[in-house]
């Protein structure tokens, strides 16, 4: 079965046709529980997200800040497995018909088996993978399996990336490019910063792929700011905070993430 890279591309193109950025939400699988995480993914789609990234909880994160690390710890202590991540993708996509990616560090994929992971992600209806710590020069095996199964390979670029390196990364990627708005880890911040706009400009000079910005966006005003220059606005920690704040009350948590998605969806439509 082929994955849904085309559905991902179509979602980004549809947003562009509406003269807006796409809203991309991140949620870790298994948090607050596996079933709760599935319902949270459905809720953010219901609130207005165009695309959802499902995080594969990892014990040694390099990109995730304290909020997502807290959620990952809860998921891991709850016994979340890769099968649960794939189930989350499958059920979120099946319920909505919208593109769902997995965001994961490389080690779990390598240990699980590259061919097996790609095949099972495609079978679940996944649109692709975001791989923040897989070096482009070591990615050929994954990219071959991803292409075979119709999955996007999304790489992360940072403000420190030189122009030549940006060109190397974007040439290898597919789906979209994940532009980290700043040097550091995920988390909500008071402002996104001018570095993000410069990074998007430099990245777009190397590729025709959409460039989506993550790290630091937490409210509608920031989403509108980033939407003025990016093809997509990625929000993670702010959603996780809403679920954490619910303190075990799943209904309240789902209402919180649905409402936040609605606010952010309005934000990405105020780019002009």
């Amino acid at each position: 079965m082929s994955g849904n890279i085309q559905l991902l591309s179509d979602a980004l193109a549809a947003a562009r046709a509406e003269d807006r950025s796409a809203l991309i939400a991140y949620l870790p699988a298994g948090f607050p529980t596996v079933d709760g995480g599935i319902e949270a993914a459905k809720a953010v789609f219901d609130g207005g997200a165009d695309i959802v990234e499902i995080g594969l909880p990892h014990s040694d994160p390099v990109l995730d800040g304290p909020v997502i690390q807290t959620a990952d710890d809860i998921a891991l202590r709850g016994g979340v497995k890769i099968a649960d991540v794939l189930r989350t993708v499958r059920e979120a996509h099946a319920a909505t018909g919208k593109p769902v990616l997995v965001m994961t560090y490389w080690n779990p994929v390598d240990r699980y088996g590259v061919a097996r992971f790609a095949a099972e992600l495609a079978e679940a209806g996944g649109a692709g993978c975001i791989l923040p710590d897989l070096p482009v020069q070591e990615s050929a095996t994954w990219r071959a399996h991803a292409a075979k199964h119709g999955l996007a390979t999304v790489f992360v670029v940072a403000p420190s990336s030189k122009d030549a390196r940006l060109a190397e990364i974007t040439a290898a990627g597919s789906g979209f490019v994940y532009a980290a708005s700043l040097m550091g880890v995920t988390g909500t911040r008071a402002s996104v910063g001018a570095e993000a706009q410069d990074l998007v400009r430099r990245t777009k000079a190397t590729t025709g792929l959409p460039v989506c910005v993550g790290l630091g966006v937490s409210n509608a005003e920031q989403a509108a700011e980033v939407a003025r220059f990016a093809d997509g606005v990625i929000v993670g920690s702010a959603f996780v905070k809403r679920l954490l704040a619910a303190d075990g009350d799943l209904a309240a948590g789902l209402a919180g993430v649905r409402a936040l998605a609605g606010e952010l969806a309005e934000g990405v439509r105020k780019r002009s």
Side-chain angles (χ1 to χ4, degrees):
M1 178 177 176
S2 181
N4 275 313
I5 185 173
Q6 188 59 53
L7 185 64
L8 174 66
S9 297
D10 289 347
L12 290 161
R16 185 168 59 250
E18 294 175 11
D19 192 29
R20 65 174 178 89
S21 285
L23 174 60
I24 305 174
Y26 168 94
L27 292 164
F31 170 74
T33 62
V34 175
D35 288 342
I38 292 168
E39 293 307 312
K42 295 177 185 177
V44 295
F45 272 134
D46 186 47
D50 299 289
I51 299 160
V52 166
E53 303 170 4
I54 298 299
L56 195 161
H58 189 48
S59 58
D60 186 26
V62 296
L63 187 66
D64 298 314
V67 171
I68 291 173
Q69 285 187 37
T70 298
D72 278 3
D73 185 62
I74 291 168
L76 290 167
R77 289 176 184 274
V80 69
K81 306 293 185 187
I82 287 180
D84 299 314
V85 178
L86 295 170
R87 179 186 157 213
T88 302
V89 171
R90 178 181 291 106
E91 295 197 18
H93 169 65
T96 64
K98 293 183 178 180
V100 183
L101 300 101
V102 167
M103 186 165 188
T104 179
Y105 298 103
W106 181 244
N107 182 262
V109 177
D110 190 42
R111 292 292 299 273
Y112 193 74
V114 177
R116 178 186 177 194
F117 187 85
E120 292 183 8
L121 178 57
E123 188 277 330
C129 256
I130 302 167
L131 298 159
D133 67 340
L134 177 62
V136 170
Q137 61 269 27
E138 298 175 19
S139 67
T141 298
W142 164 260
R143 287 188 286 122
H145 285 287
K148 174 183 176 182
H149 290 288
L151 298 169
T153 297
V154 178
F155 289 114
V156 179
V157 297
S160 61
S161 302
K162 304 298 184 186
D163 290 350
R165 179 64 173 164
L166 288 175
E168 181 182 10
I169 292 170
T170 59
S174 57
F176 64 90
V177 182
Y178 187 124
S181 66
L182 41 76
M183 300 301 294
V185 296
T186 59
T188 59
R189 290 173 173 83
S191 64
V192 178
E195 284 185 322
Q197 185 168 1
D198 181 63
L199 176 59
V200 169
R201 177 189 60 78
R202 293 193 298 118
T203 303
K204 282 181 169 291
T206 72
T207 183
L209 289 173
V211 181
C212 304
V213 170
L215 276 68
V217 178
S218 61
N219 57 50
E221 292 73 24
Q222 290 173 334
E225 175 191 353
V226 173
R228 293 187 184 102
F229 56 83
D231 299 299
V233 178
I234 303 169
V235 180
S237 294
F239 284 113
V240 175
K241 276 187 172 181
R242 293 286 178 106
L243 290 169
L244 286 169
D247 196 26
D249 183 341
L250 181 60
L254 296 178
V257 296
R258 187 181 295 109
L260 178 59
E263 294 162 15
L264 293 165
E266 288 186 18
V268 300
R269 287 165 169 79
K270 294 178 180 176
R271 65 191 306 181
S272 56

